[in-house]
């Protein structure tokens, strides 16, 4: 798959010959010792677009279901970016070396993804929504403690505050980030999934810029505000997600816009192959 386009996308856009080439390469004996061979007739029954369409940012909001999910993802990504900013202006005071900064940043993020993957595999009930809510609840509690410490007179670069911020942003950059990626993958059809990811990364950069412009100056004029604003965003995102964020674990990916507009259709690949 490293050198091929997604067969799901190729089928969704009507490029059946190319899709067969990719599927046959994946099924080749050099990979998995199978004799399966796909033809255009095998996959011609799969629902696909009758004509090519050009999709844009507009299509992320082209139905009530997609619009609700897009607003939820935009809010989540903006919150993620604002919380991440607190790591930069807090931990940067612990050391002057750029190499050490990068090393610690990577070290703090190393173990969390493995824990999430383990829980995802071992606990069937550990779904995307639980991960979403759990990450934000923990972040909210830790930031609440940070706000309390600063209100009691601790400096924002105090070691106790820094440790709490490190833990919070580690959860934010690992658990919450993974959750955003998972839900974006599962809630958008193949034909607009790349647009969704590109748009959300733009929101991430906008949030980072807003954080640097607004939060960093507050450290001198109103230190509490530099942490209260991200805390407010965490609470808003948590409450909104509790009501609007769906559970997506174990559900098949969508390919066509019709699936997003009118509900998730049954996966047609197995049925098409046995006709």
């Amino acid at each position: 798959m490293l050198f091929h386009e997604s067969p799901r996308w190729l089928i969704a856009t009507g490029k059946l010959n190319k899709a067969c080439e990719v599927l046959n390469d994946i099924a080749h004996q050099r990979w998995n010792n199978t004799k399966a061979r796909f033809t255009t007739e095998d996959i011609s029954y799969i629902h696909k677009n009758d004509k090519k369409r050009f999709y844009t940012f507009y299509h992320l909001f082209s139905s009530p279901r997609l619009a609700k999910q897009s607003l939820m993802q935009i809010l989540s990504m903006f919150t993620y970016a604002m919380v991440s900013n607190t790591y930069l202006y807090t931990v940067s005071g612990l050391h002057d070396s750029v190499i050490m900064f990068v090393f610690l940043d990577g070290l703090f993020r190393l173990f969390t993804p493995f824990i999430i993957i383990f829980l995802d595999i071992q606990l069937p009930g550990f779904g995307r929504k639980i991960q979403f809510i759990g990450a934000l609840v923990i972040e909210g509690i830790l930031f609440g403690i940070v706000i309390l410490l600063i209100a009691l007179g601790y400096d924002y670069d105090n070691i106790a505050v820094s440790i709490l911020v490190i833990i919070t942003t580690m959860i934010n950059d690992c658990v919450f980030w993974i959750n955003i990626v998972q839900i974006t993958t599962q809630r958008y059809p193949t034909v607009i999934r790349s647009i969704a990811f590109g748009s959300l990364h733009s929101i991430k950069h906008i949030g980072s810029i807003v954080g640097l412009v607004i939060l960093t100056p507050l450290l001198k004029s109103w230190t509490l505000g530099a942490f209260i604003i991200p805390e407010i965003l965490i609470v808003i995102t948590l409450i909104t997600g509790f009501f609007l964020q769906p559970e997506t674990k174990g559900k098949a990916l969508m390919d066509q816009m019709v699936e997003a507009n009118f509900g998730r259709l049954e996966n047609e690949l197995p049925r098409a192959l046995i006709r």
Side-chain angles (χ1 to χ4, degrees), residues 56-86:
T56 65
F57 179 77
Y58 158 78
H59 289 92
L60 300 180
F61 301 87
S62 58
S63 72
R65 179 179 300 200
L66 283 174
K68 181 177 70 174
Q69 189 63 58
S70 296
L71 291 174
M72 186 70 249
Q73 294 304 94
I74 288 172
L75 176 60
S76 297
M77 186 62 85
F78 188 79
T79 300
Y80 160 82
M82 293 289 279
V83 173
S84 292
N85 273 284
T86 62

Side-chain angles (χ1 to χ4, degrees), residues 222-254:
W222 184 39
T223 305
L224 268 178
F227 295 93
I228 288 177
I229 292 175
E231 176 78 333
I232 292 173
L233 285 171
I234 290 172
V235 173
I236 292 174
T237 306
L238 174 61
I239 295 174
T240 306
F242 180 82
F243 292 102
L244 298 183
Q245 195 71 283
E247 178 55 67
T248 63
K249 182 177 181 179
K251 295 184 179 180
L253 299 181
M254 296 181 289

Side-chain angles (χ1 to χ4, degrees), residues 161-232:
V161 174
S162 296
I163 290 174
L164 289 172
V165 171
I166 288 171
I167 296 173
T168 303
T169 52
M170 178 182 67
I171 295 171
N172 186 64
D173 286 348
C174 296
V175 183
F176 192 41
W177 170 257
I178 291 174
N179 186 261
I180 293 174
V181 172
Q182 289 172 324
I183 292 177
T184 302
T185 300
Q186 293 177 296
R187 289 292 287 175
Y188 291 97
T190 301
V191 291
I192 62 169
R193 192 172 296 130
S194 60
I195 297 174
F197 273 109
S199 301
L200 289 176
H201 273 82
S202 297
I203 298 298
K204 172 187 172 183
H205 295 311
I206 291 172
S208 298
I209 294 171
V210 171
L212 290 173
V213 172
I214 295 178
L215 298 184
T216 304
L218 284 178
L219 289 173
K220 295 182 179 180
S221 59
W222 184 39
T223 305
L224 268 178
F227 295 93
I228 288 177
I229 292 175
E231 176 78 333
I232 292 173

Side-chain angles (χ1 to χ4, degrees), residues 137-156 158 160-165 167-168 224 227-228 231 234:
V137 166
I138 295 173
E139 288 182 30
I141 292 173
L142 293 176
F143 254 43
I145 298 174
V146 168
I147 292 171
L148 178 62
L149 290 176
I150 294 176
L152 292 175
Y154 287 80
D155 293 330
Y156 73 88
N158 179 275
V161 174
S162 296
I163 290 174
L164 289 172
V165 171
I167 296 173
T168 303
L224 268 178
F227 295 93
I228 288 177
E231 176 78 333
I234 290 172

Side-chain angles (χ1 to χ4, degrees), residues 64-166:
R65 179 179 300 200
L66 283 174
K68 181 177 70 174
Q69 189 63 58
S70 296
L71 291 174
M72 186 70 249
Q73 294 304 94
I74 288 172
L75 176 60
S76 297
M77 186 62 85
F78 188 79
T79 300
Y80 160 82
M82 293 289 279
V83 173
S84 292
N85 273 284
T86 62
Y87 176 87
L88 298 177
Y89 59 63
T90 301
V91 181
S92 59
L94 295 179
H95 44 75
D96 299 322
S97 171
V98 175
I99 296 177
M100 182 60 68
F101 182 90
V102 174
F103 170 75
L104 291 176
D105 186 41
L107 184 64
F108 295 145
R109 304 183 190 197
L110 179 62
F111 301 102
T112 308
F114 293 101
I115 297 174
I116 294 300
I117 293 171
F118 175 80
L119 293 174
D120 190 61
I121 295 174
Q122 297 297 323
L123 301 178
F126 186 76
R128 308 292 177 254
K129 189 164 187 175
I130 291 178
Q131 181 181 335
F132 175 91
I133 294 174
L136 289 176
V137 166
I138 295 173
E139 288 182 30
I141 292 173
L142 293 176
F143 254 43
I145 298 174
V146 168
I147 292 171
L148 178 62
L149 290 176
I150 294 176
L152 292 175
Y154 287 80
D155 293 330
Y156 73 88
D157 56 355
N158 179 275
I159 187 65
V161 174
S162 296
I163 290 174
L164 289 172
V165 171
I166 288 171

